[in-house]
Amino acid sequence: MESEFIIEMLGITKEFGKLKANNNITLQLKKGEILALVGENGAGKSTLMSILFGMYAPSKGEIRKNGKRIKIESPNDANKLHIGMVHQHFKLVECFSLLDNIILGNEPTQGLFISRDEARKKVMSISAKYGLAINPDAIVRDVTVGMQQRAEILKMLYRDNEVLIFDEPTAVLTPQETAELMGIIKSLAKEGKSIIFITHKLNEVFTVSDRITVIRRGEHIATLNTKDTNVEEISSLMVGRNIEFTPQKKDTRPGENVLKVENLSVIDKETKKATLDNVSFVVRKGEILGIAGVDGNGQRELVYALTGLLNQSSGKIFLAGQDISAASIKTRNKHGISHIPEDRLKHGLVLDYRLEQNLVLQRYDEKEFQKFGFIKSENVRNYAKYLTQKFDVRSSDGVLATARSMSGGNQQKAIIAREIDRYHDLLIAVQPTRGVDIGAIEFIHRELVKERDKGKGVLLVSLDLDEILALSDRILVMYEGKFVGEFSPKHTTHEELGLYMAGGKRKDVSSEVLK
């Protein structure tokens, strides 16, 4: 009798030293279904899928395909078995074209030469069939994250994969790109592909999946039909307790200005156009000011100019009354700006440093952590242990783990722990909950509200409108490098904000936001 499951992972255990990342997990994928795999950061989801894709060997257990036991010792073995994976951090060669990346390792040849015309024809045929439009000659480093993801999906389809694994595919996408990807995943399932979809975003789980498998701390907790459960039940199974979806916060009475920005502009060196166009605003003590907008409308340039990562073309920046317009990044850090960056890998962590080293990156030269130029290793370690315990940062080897070895959500919590705990008057939080689980989102939101209640100024920049509306005391909308509206979260809606974000409505807010 033929098995109803295309993939079965039975009794899978994976040990890294003393850590059991997976402990006797069973996962079964039906033919033509979308199975959502959910759990907290560090629950073992990516490890389990890396075993299925041949990147790790299981310590115990077996894998079956169509009822027959199989051995997967490398990604090449997985591809031969028609199993493909889009990783959370894309596996693309940045200096290659999209076409070269898609066919890499599986190039059609004529004699000693690659048959590029044949490869192009197949890629473009698949692209048209599934609505995955790309420019095959574009270089990876020059295209958007959404376009890179299309290339990753085409890599799987080009190899005729029938089992498709998506690991956190929407973590770095805009809402528009996310909606598009959900449509693509549904169409792939209708074509008969079998899909495992890892995500932290439960709204996505209930949009696309047929069944949901929950794992917690490396163990299988439940597998449920999506139509028979709800967000509250799944979130409770994920974290082992009930979750508060709306952060609890009292009304605030903002104090004096902690940040004042006057006529700030940034001119792009190549296009000579203003990516940030003469913006003025203030952030006050004891408030969360939310910046909403579609990605690419000047938010990144604003944050980079405030933190010193980018030089402004004109304008002034005042922190607690002091002009810091020309100050270095280190000076801004030392004098009251903490920054949770949008890209934790590029600007948040040194990936090959230990966790303990990353937690003192801006403070290693303080008396507490150095003497006569030598690091006080014991003090650094004790401080790191204190922070990881306070902020529940988990890793395979405690504070000695490298940042690279940690899950994305725990990398994010490490950055948040470091930035919140050190001295600051202003906390700039950019996409603070991107790629983290629902329990961590609840924790991070609570910490941001605590900062506000301590009298700190919080500048929140997020593409998530629910997050902006839930946390902000005031909201500014950015469109094409300008502020086009100011709103109270109590007196606006998703629809109204969406109109301003899309450029459908605008009003001059320059005089209002400086009050």
Side-chain angles (χ1 to χ4, degrees):
M1 180 178 170
E2 189 179 358
S3 173
E4 69 171 311
F5 300 111
I6 189 169
I7 291 291
E8 294 175 272
M9 303 184 76
L10 304 174
I12 298 295
T13 294
K14 179 60 182 174
E15 297 171 342
F16 295 97
K18 295 179 182 178
L19 174 73
K20 278 190 179 179
N22 296 146
N23 185 18
N24 195 30
I25 291 180
T26 289
L27 177 143
Q28 296 170 306
L29 175 67
K30 293 179 181 178
K31 295 172 182 176
E33 81 165 338
I34 302 173
L35 174 69
L37 179 59
V38 301
E40 289 186 278
N41 295 120
K45 307 181 297 295
S46 295
T47 300
L48 189 65
M49 289 302 98
S50 293
I51 289 170
L52 181 56
F53 192 57
M55 296 180 72
Y56 295 140
S59 305
K60 295 177 186 175
E62 66 177 63
I63 303 172
R64 294 178 185 171
K65 185 169 185 243
N66 294 321
K68 295 180 182 178
R69 185 168 182 171
I70 56 174
K71 200 166 186 180
I72 307 173
E73 296 181 331
S74 72
N76 285 337
D77 289 344
N79 279 316
K80 286 172 187 173
L81 291 160
H82 302 291
I83 299 169
M85 183 170 180
V86 175
H87 300 267
Q88 184 176 359
H89 303 298
F90 301 148
K91 308 292 185 182
L92 298 172
V93 182
E94 290 205 344
C95 59
F96 280 17
S97 69
L98 294 180
L99 177 63
D100 288 336
N101 271 283
I102 291 165
I103 68 174
L104 187 62
N106 202 24
E107 301 90 342
T109 57
Q110 287 183 338
L112 297 174
F113 300 97
I114 296 173
S115 179
R116 297 180 65 80
D117 288 342
E118 181 186 339
R120 180 184 294 267
K121 194 177 293 183
K122 181 176 178 180
V123 168
M124 297 316 290
S125 172
I126 298 169
S127 169
K129 179 179 179 180
Y130 292 102
L132 292 161
I134 63 162
N135 173 3
D137 300 313
I139 304 302
V140 167
R141 62 170 170 256
D142 297 331
V143 303
T144 64
V145 170
M147 192 62 65
Q148 291 178 36
Q149 188 170 72
R150 288 186 185 190
E152 287 279 19
I153 297 170
L154 286 168
K155 267 168 67 174
M156 292 196 294
L157 299 176
Y158 175 79
R159 288 157 177 75
D160 302 316
N161 288 325
E162 55 189 4
V163 175
L164 311 179
I165 305 164
F166 290 86
D167 187 0
E168 295 288 350
T170 65
V172 293
L173 298 186
T174 65
Q176 292 85 347
E177 289 169 333
T178 296
E180 181 184 85
L181 179 64
M182 295 298 103
I184 290 167
I185 288 175
K186 284 181 177 179
S187 70
L188 289 168
K190 284 179 183 175
E191 288 279 336
K193 306 293 185 186
S194 305
I195 295 168
I196 300 175
F197 178 60
I198 303 175
T199 183
H200 289 123
K201 301 175 182 177
L202 295 187
N203 61 317
E204 295 172 2
V205 169
F206 284 88
T207 298
V208 299
S209 70
D210 300 300
R211 292 189 305 141
I212 305 167
T213 289
V214 182
I215 62 176
R216 185 170 75 233
R217 302 216 173 202
E219 298 186 350
H220 175 266
I221 300 299
T223 295
L224 304 168
N225 292 320
T226 305
K227 61 182 175 59
D228 298 330
T229 186
N230 54 50
V231 169
E232 288 76 19
E233 182 180 17
I234 294 298
S235 62
S236 178
L237 289 171
M238 283 170 59
V239 301
R241 59 180 173 81
N242 293 328
I243 292 289
E244 286 185 1
F245 289 94
T246 303
Q248 301 296 312
K249 65 187 185 82
K250 300 173 184 175
D251 289 341
T252 186
R253 292 186 177 179
E256 61 192 39
N257 295 342
V258 65
L259 175 73
K260 184 175 183 179
V261 175
E262 294 180 349
N263 308 116
L264 193 65
S265 293
V266 173
I267 307 296
D268 185 273
K269 291 180 181 178
E270 292 184 8
T271 64
K272 308 301 181 186
K273 293 181 180 178
T275 50
L276 189 66
D277 193 1
N278 201 39
V279 300
S280 299
F281 68 102
V282 298
V283 180
R284 297 169 292 190
K285 290 184 176 180
E287 77 165 348
I288 299 175
L289 174 63
I291 306 288
V294 176
D295 196 25
N297 277 275
Q299 303 98 311
R300 183 172 294 123
E301 288 79 6
L302 173 62
V303 171
Y304 283 10
L306 293 178
T307 56
L309 289 168
L310 190 66
N311 292 326
Q312 72 261 34
S313 305
S314 60
K316 295 285 186 183
I317 304 167
F318 298 92
L319 179 67
Q322 287 192 323
D323 187 347
I324 61 164
S325 309
S328 67
I329 296 172
K330 186 170 184 178
T331 298
R332 297 179 200 217
N333 285 338
K334 292 289 187 185
H335 288 81
I337 293 182
S338 280
H339 176 209
I340 301 166
E342 174 185 21
D343 189 333
R344 57 178 169 256
L345 302 183
K346 188 175 181 181
H347 292 132
L349 298 164
V350 182
L351 293 176
D352 292 316
Y353 277 17
R354 295 190 300 272
L355 173 56
E356 62 182 3
Q357 294 168 318
N358 274 285
L359 291 174
V360 294
L361 278 181
Q362 300 105 321
R363 301 186 59 191
Y364 66 89
D365 58 347
E366 294 178 9
K367 287 183 179 179
E368 182 182 351
F369 302 117
Q370 67 86 27
K371 186 175 184 180
F372 304 130
F374 293 94
I375 299 293
K376 297 178 179 177
S377 300
E378 188 176 348
N379 288 15
V380 169
R381 189 155 300 166
N382 289 337
Y383 175 68
K385 287 177 179 177
Y386 157 76
L387 274 192
T388 54
Q389 186 173 6
K390 180 179 177 183
F391 289 85
D392 190 27
V393 183
R394 303 174 195 171
S395 60
S396 59
D397 198 18
V399 298
L400 299 180
T402 62
R404 187 183 299 280
S405 71
M406 296 166 61
S407 71
N410 280 297
Q411 289 174 343
Q412 186 74 359
K413 286 201 284 186
I415 294 167
I416 285 163
R418 180 186 70 208
E419 298 302 314
I420 284 181
D421 196 69
R422 68 187 184 84
Y423 163 73
H424 61 277
D425 295 310
L426 174 70
L427 175 64
I428 301 175
V430 190
Q431 297 285 84
T433 58
R434 173 179 274 177
V436 303
D437 63 66
I438 196 161
I441 289 171
E442 177 194 46
F443 177 80
I444 292 166
H445 284 177
R446 197 163 56 231
E447 290 299 317
L448 293 178
V449 172
K450 280 184 189 174
E451 289 302 292
R452 179 200 77 156
D453 293 346
K454 289 176 188 172
K456 310 295 184 183
V458 179
L459 180 65
L460 171 67
V461 182
S462 178
L463 300 178
D464 185 339
L465 268 188
D466 289 329
E467 184 166 69
I468 288 286
L469 284 163
L471 289 175
S472 303
D473 299 301
R474 285 189 299 136
I475 300 170
L476 291 172
V477 175
M478 286 197 85
Y479 177 71
E480 293 187 341
K482 295 182 178 181
F483 290 130
V484 295
E486 181 180 13
F487 304 89
S488 162
K490 292 180 180 178
H491 303 114
T492 189
T493 62
H494 284 77
E495 292 72 24
E496 183 179 29
L497 291 175
L499 274 175
Y500 282 83
M501 287 166 61
K505 293 181 74 175
R506 63 173 68 200
K507 57 186 176 183
D508 180 17
V509 296
S510 56
S511 58
E512 298 174 31
V513 296
L514 279 170
K515 290 179 183 175

